[in-house]
Structure formats: C-alpha cells, structure tokens
Amino acid sequence: MTVYNINLGIGWASSGVEYAQAYRANILRHTNENAKFIFMDLILADNIAHLTQNMGFRHSEIIWLYQFFSDIPIHPTTMTVEEVLSGVVGTPEYSEKLSDRVVRYFYPETDSFVTCYFVRNSNQLVEHAEFVFRGNLLRKDYYSTKRYLSEFFVPKDGVAVCYNRTIYNSDGTTAYEILIENGEEVLFRFKNHVCYGRTEFIAYFLEQLQFTTEDIIILDRETDIGSIVFERAVRDGAKLGVVVHAEHFSDAIQTDDYLLWNNFYDYQFTNADKVDFFIVSTQAQKDVLAAQFAKYTPHNPKIIVLPVGSIDCLKMSDYRKPFSLMTASRLAGEKHVDWLVRGVALAHEVIPNLTFDIYGSGGEEGKIRETIEKYHAGEYIHLMGHCDLTDVYQQYEVYLTASTSEGFGLTLLEAIGSGLAMIGFDVPYGNQTFINNEENGYLIPLSKHRVEDVIAKSFSEEIIRLYHTNALSYMRNESYRLAEDFLTKNLVEKWKKLLVEEIAK
C-alpha cells in the first residue's frame, strides 16, 4: 500500500494545509505504511527540498511533479559558486553583493554577468543563477546536487520572456522540455511522448504512478487538478479521500433550498459519489457536513473525524515569563492580528507588565507594525518572525487568536499541549474544539458587524479578567487535560483503523 497525498505548492510561510500534511507524515510513519506527498505547482524561487525539509518532511517522501521525470532525486542544494561559474567562459573581474543572498559576478570583456542566488544562511551554495549577455537575460539555471532545470529567455518589448524550460537528468541529458507561449505551458515534449498543455501533463504524470486497488489517494487541494485526480482514481481503482481543511460553506448564502459550498470544495462535494471518504478534524464539522449532504444532495458519503494534527507529548515548563501573551500564524488578513494588538494595548493600560509576542510572517506584517506604532506599543509588543516554535509555546502563559474561522487550528493544539490559557472568538471549529469557555480560557462572542473598537475592548477585558481572577494555574491544567486526546499515539491508532478498513472494502 502507498498513501499518496496530493497538494499544489509549498513555501517558507506555508498555510495550515502544509502543516497538516507534515503532521500526517509523522503519523503515517508510525503506521509503517509507505507515504508520498505530491506537489503539483512549479516551484522555482527555492529548492523544494529546503521547503519540505523545513516543514519536517523526509526527502524520500516527496514527489514533485516537475522533477518526477528526471533521475535527479529531491535533495538539498550542494552546488557551489565555483561550480556554477566554471561553466562560464573566462574569469569574473569583480563582483557586487546585492543582498545577503544575492551576488553578481561581472565579465566586462564579454559584456556579461552572472547573478547567483544563495541558499538561505549560506554564501557558497547557489540555489539558482541568472546569465545576462549584453543586457539581455538569456538563461536561469536551478540547482540541487546538479543543475536540474533551466529557463531560456528572449527579449520582447524590453522584457525578458521565457519560451522554454528544460528539465535535466543527472548526466546532463534532457529529461523533457516545456514550451511556453504568453506565459502558459503549452507543450511538454518527452523523448517518446508529447503532452499538449498542463492538464495532459498532469494526467500523464498520474498515469505513471500506476495506482492500484491497494493504494489510497488523499486530496488536500484540488484547484485545477480535481477532475484529473478523480478520473485516475476511479480508473485505477485506488481509494480516494478528501481532506476538508477549512469551513466548507458560506453561512451567509444558505436557504432551505440552496447552499453555497466553499469554492475549494465544491467539486469534491458535487462529485461525492466518487469519494471513498472525507476527513474532517472535528465532530462538530462532521455533524454539520453530514446534515448538509442529506438535505442538499443525493449523496451520503463516509465522513471520518481525524484531527489534522497531533502532539507527541505534553510540553511542561518550570518557568514561564510572567504576564506573557503570544500568538502564532500567517500574518494574513483573516487572522486579524491587528485586532489583538489593539486589545493588548488596552489591557496594558491596566496591567503594565503585559508583553505580547507575535510569531509568523506574511502580507499583513506592515499593517500590524503600523498598528503597534500607532498605539506606541513597541516596547511590549514584538514581531518575532517565522521560526520553529517546538520549544517556544511553553515559555508563555496565554495564547490569543483573533481568527474568525479555523477548520482545526494547529497552533491552537500546540498551545494547549504546552499548557497555555486560551482567548479567542466563539467560532467553529478550532476555537470551539480547543477552548472550553471558563475552563481553559475564554470564548468571545463575534458579532456579524465586527466593530473593531468593540472587538479590541472584548479582548482587553478577557485578558484583564484572566489575570485578576488568578485563573491561570487552573486553566493551564485544563489545557493539558484537553490536549491528551490529541496525543500522536491515539491518532496513529485511528489512522491504522482507517487504512485497514479502506483497503479491506
């Protein structure tokens, strides 16, 4: 049996879907079943091996669509500057450091230069390089242990336009080529096969995997690939599972006769008769989804409750910084971290020893920084960036979340597993799973009007209440008690049961 987990992309600041997959990888290792994690997007800014390794995946678990047809394995970059420049005629006369990760090497005699983009925290290992001749970008090369991909460019209206991508084998021969028109991949040319467009390419890739009735396909994201995956699973007889990672419908558009599914799940739900099982993270979501299938569709699919994350053990601590608050998430609009900043600033007026650390990165960082400055809170509210939080949570006393919807909430699980008291909105499904109101924290009612002044005041009041009622010790114990249900050993047994049942069908 092989469990194939299908996703699109991955980055340094990944979403909950990628974190859920990383947790699942750990669980499946404990079941001793073979697991592969497939990424379908073209990923060029970083070597995918670095991105997946950063999340905790093993290189042997990763299949990348674009590298699958090459014999070069997924591997961290080992290409040095000297190796890159050895392929260039002549010797660079001088270089210019453009940033910590970018250095440009100049060849005045040929009116050319090479720009090297280094692996993070390295000034010798090159992830990719750009080759410019007489002011025109000619080629970009991408490296792991070898050059595995090149992009070729021509100038058009003063802009470098990519017209070809070539993927290589370890001996330098061409594995296949991609022809590009107007930014679209229009043709994939192999030695004995041609695919017209990306859809055919993905279908050809899935065909090469040779699924069997002993295999299970788990679809984590379906955008632009759902129908291809469904068709191949049905054709090969593989079991097909779909993970529902977020709220699956629009509460604002629901009548007795009509329900608007989340567009990320509409295809899967519409074709639920072809799905062997759906996975949700909480019993509450299963109850809602099952009732909606019964009311709005002719389908009655199997829905399984399997938390997308687990903790190997409870993280205890002999010391926590007094009056310390934290949050951890992508710094995205839907996380509303700026609301938390305002709430903490108000609470700080009453409890001047409060500190608040914000972990994560993302597009809202500038807005959050401006909010911190607006409330003159820079001395006690800090942006900590993206980092490994394995041994960080237990240094704090309270976890705050202003997300208005969480399908599960992996950071919430990690927080209760480290004994933090919790404060967040009374919304499905993560907050209601990990915050027992008045027991291990406080749930704040969320008005549809979402007046920010009211929200900030609500957070400040609950922070103040928590400290003034001396509830911290009791809530810490309740968080630990709640977290015990999500220990890895318990989830491993649930996954074993699922895999056995599906293959036995």
Side-chain angles (χ1 to χ4, degrees), residues 434-476:
F434 297 116
I435 306 176
N436 284 342
N437 195 37
E438 306 284 345
E439 297 296 321
N440 75 320
Y442 302 124
L443 287 170
I444 298 173
L446 179 61
S447 167
K448 290 184 178 180
H449 302 295
R450 300 186 184 181
V451 178
E452 293 189 17
D453 288 344
V454 174
I455 289 171
K457 187 171 185 291
S458 296
F459 272 100
S460 69
E461 288 174 346
E462 299 299 14
I463 293 168
I464 294 166
R465 176 157 75 113
L466 190 154
Y467 279 103
H468 281 183
T469 56
N470 296 315
L472 202 54
S473 178
Y474 173 78
M475 289 186 172
R476 180 174 303 143

Side-chain angles (χ1 to χ4, degrees), residues 346-374:
L346 288 174
H348 187 267
E349 295 175 4
V350 179
I351 308 175
N353 291 328
L354 282 178
T355 61
F356 179 39
D357 289 344
I358 300 166
Y359 291 89
S361 59
E364 291 287 296
E365 182 173 339
K367 178 180 180 180
I368 296 166
R369 195 179 300 278
E370 289 176 3
T371 306
I372 294 172
E373 292 174 356
K374 177 181 178 180

Side-chain angles (χ1 to χ4, degrees), residues 188-288:
F188 297 77
R189 184 164 56 202
F190 298 84
K191 183 177 180 180
N192 298 310
H193 188 81
V194 173
C195 297
Y196 294 95
R198 194 167 185 271
T199 298
E200 282 192 19
F201 176 52
I202 293 172
Y204 182 58
F205 159 71
L206 293 175
E207 181 182 345
Q208 307 312 303
L209 293 177
Q210 298 182 332
F211 299 127
T212 73
T213 56
E214 296 294 308
D215 293 329
I216 293 178
I217 302 170
I218 297 179
L219 186 59
D220 284 285
R221 295 188 194 272
E222 73 81 33
T223 304
D224 297 329
I225 65 171
S227 61
I228 316 169
V229 174
F230 272 55
E231 180 182 351
R232 178 50 58 181
V234 171
R235 182 178 300 180
D236 292 344
K239 304 301 187 296
L240 177 61
V242 170
V243 185
V244 182
H245 288 281
E247 180 60 279
H248 61 271
F249 72 104
S250 173
D251 189 38
I253 307 177
Q254 182 179 7
T255 69
D256 286 338
D257 302 312
Y258 178 77
L259 179 69
L260 179 65
W261 298 121
N262 180 327
N263 63 308
F264 291 114
Y265 302 109
D266 182 74
Y267 181 86
Q268 299 94 306
F269 293 159
T270 303
N271 295 277
D273 56 315
K274 301 175 182 65
V275 177
D276 291 281
F277 59 92
F278 287 92
I279 295 176
V280 296
S281 289
T282 70
Q283 184 63 43
Q285 189 167 23
K286 175 182 177 178
D287 293 342
V288 171

Side-chain angles (χ1 to χ4, degrees), residues 52 93 95 235 276 498:
T52 52
E93 290 192 13
S95 63
R235 182 178 300 180
D276 291 281
L498 168 64

